[in-house]
Amino acid sequence: MTSPRILVVGGAGYIGSHMVKLLLAHGCQVMTLDNFSTGYRDAIVGGEFVRADLADRTALDALFASRAFDAVMHFASFIQVGESVNAPAKYYANNVTNTLNLLDAMVAHGVKRFIFSSSAAVYGNPILVPIAEDHPKAPINPYGRTKWMVEQILEDYDRAYGLKSISLRYFNAAGADPAGELGERHEPETHLIPLVLRAASGRAPDIKVFGRDYNTPDGTCIRDYVHVADLCEAHRLALTRLMQDGGSAVYNLGNGNGFSVAEVIAAAERVTDCVIRITHEPRRAGDPPRLVADASLARKGLSWQPRFDCLETIIAHAWAWESKSTTIPLAEGAV
Ligand code: UFG
């Protein structure tokens, strides 16, 4: 059997770049498509790459005409919840319209397997935690709505065009390549763990804690942090399932353990052996108090077994990356 030919859309970004590395390690033929709007050329560790924009249907048609891909993995979306509230057009255009372009090009060229980066944001403010896949979907911001819209489009595309898809609803992606080659490089960075580590390394003066009056044991929000390498492994298992003609499916990806913001900061102090300065701020709009996954379906359906489910390991890998990043200047306007 020839090795699978995979198109990784957004392969220059945080999770996509780790995915490219994993697929190459498993002998896949990989092509990255990225427009470098938020990704980095030097994060693509191997395989082929094409610089193209998903808005450019002509470029997509040319690409699919030139290569016979077995599957497409789609990581290229905008991810900032707050920005999506202020600039919804940007989110609907990229996360929905551009994804439709990609799907339509796939359908036109007979590519029938798709793995989609969805999000816990589809659940909105959960009414039941841990959250299982059949929990009501009620996104509370445009970002979450774009993810839920694409999931629904995928159901219709399966029914009408036989396009098989697996949507993976990430909880809080975190950590970095255990080998230290890749890591999280969002600019501006908005995620908790990299910002806590910038405060530890001295690249930022402090960590701002958004709200300590939530109905949780220590008053700060609780999240389910899942290692980027484990997320990528779930994609690889999803690919195997689709290649074996498994049907479409949706899975949560999380460890099932919730940690508060205060617990994350305390764990980071232990891992880094640094004192981290905390500044208390009001709540950030749209933050649910508690998001924890019930990911038993992925464990069963994909035989997924997270390897790095210990918070301190996730932070240690992110810290190794942060320690390397201190030499990389931050983009203008970044924290
Ligand atoms: N937080 C702080 N200070 C910071 C950054 C974050 O206190 O400087 C807090 C947030 O208020 C939240 C927690 O840390 O309580 C985690 O925040 P992140 O921004 O790291 O992650 P979110 O839970 O907001 O977002 C994640 C994904 C989104 C997805 C969302 C689902 O990154 O893509 O989960 O609700 F939409």
Side-chain angles (χ1 to χ4, degrees):
M1 203 180 83
T2 58
S3 53
R5 291 151 300 187
I6 313 300
L7 178 66
V8 180
V9 179
Y14 171 41
I15 304 170
S17 61
H18 289 77
M19 190 72 235
V20 168
K21 184 172 178 178
L22 183 71
L23 289 171
L24 290 169
H26 282 268
C28 295
Q29 298 175 54
V30 181
M31 176 177 267
T32 292
L33 182 151
D34 208 295
N35 65 2
F36 301 116
S37 62
T38 57
Y40 297 85
R41 170 70 189 88
D42 64 12
I44 306 172
V45 297
E48 294 181 276
F49 86 93
V50 56
R51 180 177 197 147
D53 197 296
L54 292 182
D56 184 351
R57 178 64 198 270
T58 309
L60 293 180
D61 280 325
L63 176 63
F64 282 108
S66 72
R67 298 277 195 300
F69 293 108
D70 293 300
V72 174
M73 294 185 177
H74 181 25
F75 297 92
S77 69
F78 293 137
I79 58 162
Q80 290 180 42
V81 171
E83 184 186 50
S84 80
V85 174
N86 298 322
K90 175 177 172 178
Y91 278 70
Y92 288 113
N94 187 50
N95 295 9
V96 181
T97 309
N98 287 352
T99 299
L100 268 173
N101 266 348
L102 175 62
L103 294 174
D104 289 343
M106 289 176 62
V107 170
H109 294 271
V111 182
K112 300 271 186 185
R113 300 181 191 94
F114 187 71
I115 299 178
F116 177 58
S117 301
S118 189
S119 167
V122 300
Y123 300 114
N125 281 318
I127 49 178
L128 206 67
V129 181
I131 306 168
E133 288 79 354
D134 59 0
H135 183 286
K137 267 57 79 183
I140 53 170
N141 50 59
Y143 167 74
R145 276 190 278 279
T146 66
K147 293 292 177 181
W148 178 227
M149 282 177 192
V150 171
E151 285 198 23
Q152 291 171 289
I153 289 167
L154 288 172
E155 272 185 39
D156 291 336
Y157 273 45
D158 184 356
R159 224 173 280 123
Y161 311 125
L163 188 138
K164 300 295 169 199
S165 68
I166 295 188
S167 294
L168 299 171
R169 294 181 186 149
Y170 310 161
F171 280 65
N172 285 63
D177 173 24
E181 192 181 6
L182 297 166
E184 195 165 357
R185 283 164 85 179
H186 297 127
E187 295 300 346
E189 186 54 79
T190 60
H191 293 111
L192 180 66
I193 291 179
L195 290 177
V196 166
L197 295 178
R198 285 183 189 187
S201 71
R203 277 210 296 166
D206 59 5
I207 178 70
K208 296 177 174 42
V209 172
F210 299 136
R212 52 172 165 171
D213 55 353
Y214 285 96
N215 185 17
T216 58
D218 64 25
T220 64
C221 288
I222 292 175
R223 294 289 181 274
D224 183 341
Y225 296 91
V226 54
H227 197 292
V228 62
D230 288 325
L231 289 181
C232 291
E233 177 61 7
H235 285 70
R236 194 185 68 77
L237 295 167
L239 173 67
T240 305
R241 196 190 129 128
L242 288 180
M243 296 294 283
Q244 292 165 344
D245 293 325
S248 295
V250 177
Y251 297 109
N252 283 341
L253 297 180
N255 288 313
N257 303 319
F259 293 96
S260 72
V261 172
E263 286 172 330
V264 168
I265 297 169
E269 287 190 322
R270 288 194 297 276
V271 169
T272 63
D273 207 17
C274 295
V275 175
I276 296 170
R277 201 166 150 243
I278 295 171
T279 306
H280 287 287
E281 298 277 335
R283 291 181 178 197
R284 191 172 69 176
D287 274 339
R290 194 156 175 255
L291 285 176
V292 179
D294 174 349
S296 46
L297 209 60
R299 286 173 182 266
K300 218 168 95 193
L302 296 175
S303 305
W304 182 55
Q305 285 189 316
R307 289 167 60 208
F308 305 110
D309 57 351
C310 161
L311 178 66
E312 297 200 359
T313 305
I314 292 173
I315 293 174
H317 291 165
W319 178 236
W321 176 251
E322 166 64 22
S323 307
K324 211 167 141 177
S325 306
T326 45
T327 53
I328 302 172
L330 293 180
E332 218 174 288
V335 180

